[in-house]
Amino acid sequence: MRTFVFIQARLGSVRLADKVTLDLAGSPMVVFLYSRLKELCQVDDVIVLIPESHSNDPLADLLDNYSVRYFRGSEADVLRRYRDAADKFGAELVIRVTADCPLLDPLIINEMLSTYSSNQVDYMSNTSPPTFPDGFDVEIFTRTVLIEADEQATDPKDREHVTPFMRRNLSLETRNFTLRRDYSWLRLTVDQQEDYDAIKIIMNQLGPDRSFKVEDVITVAVNKVDELPNQLIKRNEGAQMSNGQKLWERAKTKIAGGNMLLSKRPELHCPEQWPPYYSKANGCWVWDLDENRLLDMSLMGVGTSILGYSYEPINMAVKRAIDNSVVSSLNNYLELELAERLLDLNPWAGLVKFARTGGEANLIALRIARAASGRDRVAFCGYHGWHDWYLSANFSKSDNLDIHLFNGVGVDGIPDALADLVVPFFYNDFESFSTAVSEPDIGVIIMEVCRSEEPANGFLEFIRQEASERGIVLIFDECTSGFRETFGGVYSKYGIVPDIAVYGKALGNGHAITAIVGTENVMDYGKTNFISSTFWSEAIGPAAALATLSEMENLKSWEIISERGRLIKAKWEQISKSESVKIAIAGMSALPSFAFSHPNSNKIKTLFTQAMLEKKILATNLLYVSVAHEQPYLEQYFEHMADTFKFIKKTVWDEEEFPDQLLRGPECMNGLYRMN
């Protein structure tokens, strides 16, 4: 039989970029493996199978430079790549190996071929179950089996991983090739940086002689196992992970914390299951990197996409701004239009400033307010960003931010000189507020108007009165609450006017724009104070904000989402009672949330999200309601939520100990308490 070794290789590995080209004993990894197999394998030929995409052209050039034979085929449909290669070369027996197993012993292939000849099976491997170290995987199958799999397999994962369909669905004569001792616990494949580092340690011990055998590798690996940094990684972990999860693991080694927004970290929702990345989004639908279409009944861009993702009128306004250049040596006139629009919405105000993020907008407001009051100290309630002034609250007491942000917020890197500059108070707590503003030199009060609960009778009025009588500047942080229940700040719902209001999130429907709107006598102090940044002057933010304000006004979006939010709360209550799964519902109508009333609430919350993900729904215990959440989508959400609550009641609700095996990963981390 014409027998070929096909080495599967590609560039663009998600967790370790271009790993097959990394140096191994003076050669690229794929060339190192090819040379060993070509020299020692008793086969007709060795061919490297690579994708035909342009992104893999550099790999083709590299193989050409080393006179390595290769075949180019489909990138995503690897099963078809194998079929096409077998057709081209007339292969009757295919030996499948991968380029990320560079220490593979060619003699294993020869011995397996000898065993195959004696038994004439359809499929042979050394992985079912494995006894060889991870990184010595070999599969052998006939052309007939390959054709049958290619003609019948439809699942994209089966076509990507080539052989699962064969093993699962075809009636095959099979045989497993084993070692006398089980070394499957050793990891000698290359999928992550730690793997490559481990392989280099082993190669340094093996020396320049490339004729080493599997026994030599095992001896070195066992002796050096305590020095190998990859041994805790699970076997075939990469094959079990989605493309997004692989990227996330890689991102955590390149970006401090993995990303730039805490609320989007998968660990906060459903670790190892929640999709970390998206490829596109539209309306209230999100597509992940594995082409799963997911209904977003959760964060909706962490509250930014109040009209829905990729909203066409806003896209058009932004594209016009881009076509005209979003920057130049001159100012863009759109910021003036936006300022006048915001002042019309806030008739008590006289001046505006712009920024691009909520944290920096609050910092600008704080700077101006301190200048206006002539005092440095700040009384605060709620969440206001990541800047030094806010986190310095934990200098005076390490748990000052526990209720406002989350437990254990550190103050590393924040100057000691900021200690005692900020004083927290609790929402709807008259006494704690009075205590805070009675501190010496309080010049600013900054707070969220409302979030998880409505203001108590007289609470906002009391704050406004105290601020006025004490000469304190009152800032309402409306970054989250703005435009959700009113056309502008939610403060207008309660008839209490601040000295400064800060808007963000929904203002640009996902595009970066924030605004600081204040009375003229206070904002005058921002004229001479140096507050300036290049990218605060670009045109995309104002263009998006103007279009968003126009659309919100035409649709009366705040009425739509408030009504839908009330419906959602009522339906949650109904499902909770129907399925006997008790929850505590909170939040403003346009931003409802719930908590499981159970000792194992956090694990149950994780299980809820995991179960909803199985139904292709992004769902947590928090929902930023959007205009895009139309009735058919809500009904779909409610139906699956009821089924999930039924499952929770049946499996965990009445158990004292949570059955951890129900979770396919760790329980979620506690996030911002204001969002839980």
Side-chain angles (χ1 to χ4, degrees):
M1 299 179 72
R2 285 181 58 79
T3 303
F4 284 76
V5 174
F6 287 162
I7 303 175
Q8 186 176 318
R10 66 181 174 95
L11 296 181
S13 170
V14 175
R15 293 203 282 182
L16 183 59
D18 302 339
K19 63 184 179 183
V20 300
T21 67
L22 296 174
D23 179 77
L24 200 62
S27 299
M29 188 186 301
V30 62
V31 176
F32 179 88
L33 177 61
Y34 174 86
S35 300
R36 276 179 38 91
L37 298 184
K38 183 78 172 174
E39 179 180 352
L40 298 173
C41 280
Q42 298 167 6
V43 296
D44 290 281
D45 208 347
V46 179
I47 310 292
V48 181
L49 272 53
I50 69 174
E52 58 192 357
S53 59
H54 289 306
S55 61
N56 280 273
D57 288 347
L59 179 54
D61 293 341
L62 181 147
L63 297 176
D64 282 331
N65 290 338
Y66 283 90
S67 300
V68 171
R69 293 194 71 188
Y70 62 90
F71 172 84
R72 303 192 73 169
S74 172
E75 180 161 31
D77 190 349
V78 188
L79 177 56
R80 176 50 59 91
R81 194 193 312 170
Y82 271 77
R83 165 76 183 276
D84 290 344
D87 289 344
K88 177 179 175 61
F89 296 107
E92 297 172 280
L93 195 64
V94 172
I95 302 167
R96 177 178 181 252
V97 301
T98 56
D100 54 6
C101 297
L103 302 185
L104 177 64
D105 184 354
L107 297 183
I108 295 173
I109 294 176
N110 293 340
E111 291 181 25
M112 290 179 69
L113 281 173
S114 177
T115 304
Y116 174 85
S117 298
S118 303
N119 292 270
Q120 291 294 306
V121 294
D122 301 305
Y123 172 90
M124 175 182 284
S125 78
N126 61 354
T127 62
S128 303
T131 56
F132 285 85
D134 190 2
F136 285 79
D137 298 358
V138 177
E139 294 175 288
I140 302 175
F141 44 87
T142 64
R143 176 186 178 84
T144 302
V145 169
L146 177 60
I147 291 172
E148 194 173 355
D150 178 53
E151 290 177 347
Q152 295 184 34
T154 58
D155 189 319
K157 290 187 177 180
D158 285 335
R159 304 201 68 86
E160 177 188 357
H161 298 292
V162 183
T163 57
F165 182 86
M166 300 178 188
R167 302 191 301 269
R168 192 175 66 248
N169 294 291
L170 302 181
S171 299
L172 304 180
E173 288 286 334
T174 66
R175 185 178 178 89
N176 190 43
F177 189 79
T178 63
L179 285 171
R180 283 192 292 270
R181 287 187 61 183
D182 184 1
Y183 289 101
S184 61
W185 53 273
L186 277 174
R187 181 177 173 88
L188 303 175
T189 188
V190 179
D191 193 43
Q192 303 183 39
Q193 183 63 45
E194 293 91 340
D195 295 323
Y196 179 52
D197 295 340
I199 295 296
K200 287 192 294 183
I201 290 172
I202 291 171
M203 284 301 300
N204 287 338
Q205 293 296 308
L206 291 172
D209 183 5
R210 295 193 179 190
S211 61
F212 56 83
K213 299 179 178 61
V214 62
E215 294 86 356
D216 302 322
V217 176
I218 289 174
T219 298
V220 171
V222 170
N223 290 336
K224 290 282 185 179
V225 69
D226 291 338
E227 299 177 30
L228 303 181
N230 65 337
Q231 294 306 297
L232 294 180
I233 302 173
K234 298 176 183 177
R235 189 177 184 117
N236 294 326
E237 182 180 71
Q240 297 167 12
M241 298 174 71
S242 69
N243 287 327
Q245 288 159 0
K246 291 176 185 176
L247 267 183
W248 179 244
E249 291 302 311
R250 181 170 146 199
K252 288 190 288 187
T253 69
K254 307 295 182 183
I255 304 170
N259 70 349
M260 299 308 297
L261 181 62
L262 176 68
S263 301
K264 289 188 178 182
R265 293 180 188 171
E267 290 83 359
L268 264 67
H269 309 299
C270 191
E272 300 177 10
Q273 306 298 317
W274 185 269
Y277 300 102
Y278 74 100
S279 61
K280 65 178 179 179
N282 189 277
C284 58
W285 294 93
V286 179
W287 285 256
D288 69 11
L289 298 189
D290 294 281
E291 300 183 2
N292 293 305
R293 180 173 177 254
L294 304 161
L295 178 60
D296 192 343
M297 301 301 295
S298 59
L299 303 183
M300 285 302 295
V302 195
T304 60
S305 298
I306 198 165
L307 301 175
Y309 297 126
S310 194
Y311 193 80
E312 186 58 26
I314 298 167
N315 286 354
M316 291 173 61
V318 168
K319 288 172 184 175
R320 284 194 299 271
I322 292 171
D323 288 341
N324 293 327
S325 184
V326 299
V327 296
S328 84
S329 298
L330 309 181
N331 296 297
N332 83 79
Y333 66 92
L334 295 175
E335 63 186 17
L336 174 58
E337 289 189 21
L338 179 57
E340 292 175 339
R341 189 82 169 90
L342 289 171
L343 290 174
D344 286 342
L345 286 176
N346 300 272
W348 53 272
L351 290 170
V352 177
K353 272 193 171 292
F354 297 115
R356 291 300 178 268
T357 72
E360 66 186 9
N362 278 322
L363 184 57
I364 292 169
L366 191 67
R367 170 87 65 83
I368 293 172
R370 277 172 162 162
S373 70
R375 284 169 270 165
D376 294 338
R377 301 188 76 203
V378 179
F380 76 89
C381 177
Y383 170 73
H384 305 290
W386 63 274
H387 289 86
D388 287 3
W389 74 267
Y390 181 59
L391 299 190
S392 69
N394 273 7
F395 271 123
S396 58
K397 192 179 177 187
S398 62
D399 62 354
N400 270 341
L401 291 172
D402 282 6
I403 300 301
H404 307 277
L405 187 52
F406 54 81
N407 286 350
V409 179
V411 292
D412 294 342
I414 298 172
D416 294 345
L418 296 182
D420 298 324
L421 281 177
V422 293
V423 182
F425 65 92
F426 300 118
Y427 195 73
N428 280 339
D429 188 329
F430 288 80
E431 183 178 350
S432 76
F433 170 74
S434 296
T435 300
V437 295
S438 296
E439 290 269 336
D441 298 321
I442 297 293
V444 184
I445 299 165
I446 183 168
M447 64 179 295
E448 294 179 286
V449 181
C450 70
R451 178 180 284 272
S452 59
E453 58 182 308
E454 294 282 328
N457 185 34
F459 183 63
L460 294 180
E461 290 85 349
F462 180 59
I463 288 175
R464 176 68 275 180
Q465 179 181 343
E466 287 291 297
S468 299
E469 291 180 357
R470 294 171 180 269
I472 298 172
V473 176
L474 175 60
I475 302 171
F476 281 164
D477 178 355
E478 296 264 14
C479 283
T480 295
S481 56
F483 302 99
R484 299 203 70 84
E485 292 199 347
T486 59
F487 190 38
V490 74
Y491 69 80
S492 63
K493 177 180 174 181
Y494 305 106
I496 306 298
V497 176
D499 300 302
I500 296 176
V502 180
Y503 296 108
K505 289 191 184 292
L507 181 57
N509 199 59
H511 295 278
I513 180 69
T514 52
I516 304 94
V517 182
T519 62
E520 187 168 1
N521 66 311
V522 170
M523 293 295 287
D524 264 341
Y525 286 88
K527 293 179 180 178
T528 55
N529 204 308
F530 184 68
I531 301 171
S532 178
S533 181
T534 298
F535 287 107
W536 290 345
S537 66
E538 57 80 38
I540 289 178
L546 286 165
T548 300
L549 290 170
S550 177
E551 289 297 312
M552 286 194 292
E553 186 172 34
N554 289 338
L555 294 170
K556 290 185 168 49
S557 58
W558 61 96
E559 295 180 1
I560 293 172
I561 65 173
S562 293
E563 176 58 32
R564 288 180 185 166
R566 287 189 285 271
L567 168 65
I568 289 166
K569 283 185 171 182
K571 195 67 178 178
W572 283 353
E573 183 71 23
Q574 177 187 331
I575 292 171
S576 169
K577 290 180 178 178
S578 174
E579 305 305 333
S580 300
V581 173
K582 188 177 180 182
I583 58 175
I585 298 172
M588 53 197 301
S589 295
L591 180 46
S593 64
F594 68 87
F596 290 102
S597 302
H598 193 280
N600 294 316
S601 60
N602 200 54
K603 289 184 177 180
I604 294 175
K605 173 186 166 186
T606 310
L607 182 62
F608 168 75
T609 298
Q610 175 181 288
M612 294 295 278
L613 274 174
E614 291 174 359
K615 299 170 175 64
K616 297 294 191 290
I617 297 177
L618 296 173
T620 68
N621 65 327
L622 174 81
L623 176 51
Y624 282 95
V625 187
S626 167
V627 170
H629 287 134
E630 298 174 353
Q631 190 63 31
Y633 307 140
L634 291 176
E635 290 175 0
Q636 181 179 343
Y637 167 67
F638 294 141
E639 177 185 351
H640 290 306
M641 185 177 187
D643 289 342
T644 300
F645 271 42
K646 190 186 300 292
F647 170 73
I648 288 170
K649 173 63 177 177
K650 180 180 179 181
T651 57
V652 303
W653 194 257
D654 297 321
E655 302 294 326
E656 290 186 14
E657 295 292 329
F658 183 92
D660 289 334
Q661 65 271 20
L662 289 176
L663 297 180
R664 291 196 297 275
E667 67 176 288
C668 67
M669 297 167 49
N670 280 316
L672 279 64
Y673 283 118
R674 67 193 186 99
M675 295 174 62
N676 284 329

